[in-house]
Amino acid sequence: MTVLVTGGAGFIGGNFVLDWVAGSGEQVVNLDKLTYAGNLETLASVAGNRRHVFVQGDIGDRSLVERLLAEHRPRAIVNFAAESHVDRSIHGPGEFIRTNVVGTYDLLESACGYWSGLPQAEKDAFRFLHISTDEVYGSLGPSDPPFAETRRYEPNSPYSASKAASDHLVRAWHHTYGLPVLTTHCSNNYGPYQFPEKLIPLMIVNALAGQGLPVYGDGLQVRDWLYVTDHCSAARRVLEAGKPGETYNVGGWSEKPNIEVVKTVCALLDELRPRQDGTSYARQITFVADRPGHDRRYAIDARKLECELGWRPAETFETGIRKTVRWYLDNPEWVANVRSGAYREWVTRQYEGATT
Ligand code: NAD
Ligand code: DAU
C-alpha cells in the first residue's frame, strides 16, 4: 500500500513523512516543489529508505501527478503542499493563489480522474485528505467560544483566503463528483524543522544570534499552539477513521498570547544556553509595527475529533516548547543551511526599520 503526500519536504509534511516511515509498513511517495520552504535535509534520515520515494514537482503539474498516481496507485493523497506564511502573502499574494487555489484545483482534478477509474473496492477505500487551517474562520473576540467546525468562514489575509478557497474546492469535488475527501483545520504548529520565518523558530534563531526579537503590535494576539507530531497523529487518525465529506478541527487546548510565548522561549534559552553576559534573552525583545489585518485571537474546539475519533494531543505546551528549543540548539547545521541568501533577503525586507 502507498500514500501520496504533497509538501512533504516542508515543516508539517516533513514531520508527517518521517513519522509515517518510522511507524507504518507502507510506502510514501513525497511530491514537493522544493520552494524556499521545502528542505531535503529534513528528510535526510529517510533518504536511502525504499519506503520513501521523493519526487520534486508541482501539485499543479497534472501530467506529472497523473503519472505518479498511475505508477504508484496510492490508497490516499494527503495534501500539505501550500504557501503557508501570512506575512509573505501580504507582500506577494500571487503565489498563494497559484499554489493554494489553482494548485489544489489541479490536484483535485488529477485525483478525481485516478479515483474514478479504480476498481470498486479500491475506490471505496480511497481518501483525499486536505490539510487546512483554523485561519479560514477569521478572528475571535476575547470571550468568544473557540472555533467549532460549524463556524462560518471569515478569512482576513491573502493566505487564509487562499486556503478558504481551496477548502471550498475540496468540498465541491466531494458533493459534485463524489471524491471521498476529508478536511482538517489545525491551529498553530511548532516543533522541529519549522522554517525560521514563523514566530517560535524565528525567536530562537534571533535570540541565539544576538538579534532583536520582533513582536508585532502589543504582543497580545492569541494563538492556540500544537506540537507538530500531535498534528501528524491527528492527520493519521482522520485518514484512518474520518468520515468522507466531514471536516475536523485540530488544536492543542493551549491558547497563549504571543508575548508569553516569546518570554517562555527566552526563559528556556536562559536555562539551556545562557547569554554570556548573564542577562536574559528577554532583553532582546523589541516591539515592531503590527502585521496588517492581524487576527487577534484563534482558538480551536477539538471536541469532535476527540469524541468521534478518540484523538487527543500527547504534548502540553510546556513539554513541546522545551523539546522544540532543545531541537534547535542541537541542530545548528539544519538552521544554518535553511538561512540561505534568500532567507536573509526576506528577513531584511520584513523587519528593517520596523521597530516602533
Ligand atoms: P511549509 O511552508 O513549511 O511547507 C510547505 C511545503 O509545500 C514546502 O515543502 C514547499 O516546497 C511545498 N510546496 C509549496 N508549493 C508547492 C507546490 N505548488 N507543489 C508542491 N509542493 C509545494 O508549510 P507547513 O507549515 O508545513 O504547512 C503545511 C500545510 O499545513 C499547509 O497546507 C498549511 O496551510 C497547513 N497548516 C499549517 C499550520 C502551521 O502552523 N504551520 C497550521 C495549520 C495548517
Ligand atoms: O493558525 C494556523 C496558522 O498558523 C497556519 O495556517 C499558518 O500556515 C502558520 O504560518 C500560522 O500562522 P500565524 O500567522 O499565526 O503564524 P506566525 O508564526 O507567522 O505568527 C504567530 C503569531 O506571532 C502571530 O500573531 C504573528 C506574531 N508574530 C509573528 C512573527 C513572524 C510576531 O509577533 N512577530 C514575528 O516576527
Side-chain angles (χ1 to χ4, degrees), residues 84 133-135 159 188 199 214 216 223 258 291 294 351:
S84 70
T133 169
D134 60 357
E135 297 201 13
Y159 162 69
N188 284 63
L199 180 72
Y216 296 160
R223 297 293 183 264
N258 292 337
R291 172 187 280 175
H294 198 172
Y351 297 101

